[in-house]
């Protein structure tokens, strides 16, 4: 299973970006997925996760600004990021939830993911 993230870039504070994660169709229909980020010198943190039934969860700092969604037509998971701030600067990763050995998907923890894609860099200038 391979996950391919894209959509990162340089944006000014207050701007928007949409990240995309291409996933295999079988996985999209049967697993939860999440977006994670890692800033320089910091640990990886969960940003948002979505279940196979479209349940969602967000970390507090992005609530009301970021929105996760699934697209079964294009076999993708998206992260719409609005009103970006410099503290959102990080490498963003998409990952698949380990449904066999992980805790409930709503924990949205990197430790509960079993497949991780390469990251895409998001840089927000002030």
């Amino acid at each position: 299973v391979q996950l391919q993230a894209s959509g990162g870039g340089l944006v000014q504070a207050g701007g928007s970006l949409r990240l995309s994660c291409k996933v295999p169709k079988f996985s999209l229909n049967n697993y939860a997925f999440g977006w994670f980020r890692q800033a320089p010198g910091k640990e990886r943190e969960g940003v948002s996760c979505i279940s196979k039934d479209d349940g969602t969860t967000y970390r507090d700092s992005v609530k009301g600004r970021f929105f996760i969604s699934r697209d079964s037509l294009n076999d993708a998971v998206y992260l719409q990021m609005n009103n970006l701030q410099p503290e959102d600067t990080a490498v963003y990763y998409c990952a698949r939830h380990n449904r066999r050995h992980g805790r409930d998907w709503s924990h949205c923890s990197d430790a509960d993911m079993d497949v991780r894609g390469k990251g895409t860099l998001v840089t927000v200038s002030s």
Side-chain angles (χ1 to χ4, degrees), residues 5-59:
S6 61
L10 173 64
V11 64
Q12 288 187 329
S16 298
L17 285 173
R18 189 179 79 160
L19 305 183
S20 299
C21 180
K22 187 73 172 175
V23 307
K25 181 176 289 293
F26 175 81
S27 288
L28 183 66
N29 293 335
N30 292 280
Y31 289 81
F33 285 86
W35 285 97
F36 299 81
R37 67 187 181 188
Q38 188 165 19
K42 294 187 176 181
E43 293 189 356
R44 189 173 300 188
E45 61 185 21
V47 177
S48 179
C49 287
I50 186 167
S51 73
K52 63 183 180 69
D53 301 313
D54 289 332
T56 59
T57 185
Y58 299 90
R59 70 179 301 106

Side-chain angles (χ1 to χ4, degrees), residues 65-78:
R65 300 189 298 124
F66 291 12
F67 301 94
I68 192 170
S69 61
R70 299 183 315 130
D71 182 350
S72 59
L73 185 64
N74 293 296
D75 300 335
V77 178
Y78 302 118

Side-chain angles (χ1 to χ4, degrees), residues 101-122:
H101 300 297
R103 295 172 299 173
D104 187 77
W105 69 270
S106 61
H107 287 278
C108 203
S109 170
D110 183 67
D112 297 318
M113 304 294 151
D114 63 356
V115 180
R116 300 170 181 82
K118 291 183 179 180
T120 185
L121 176 63
V122 172

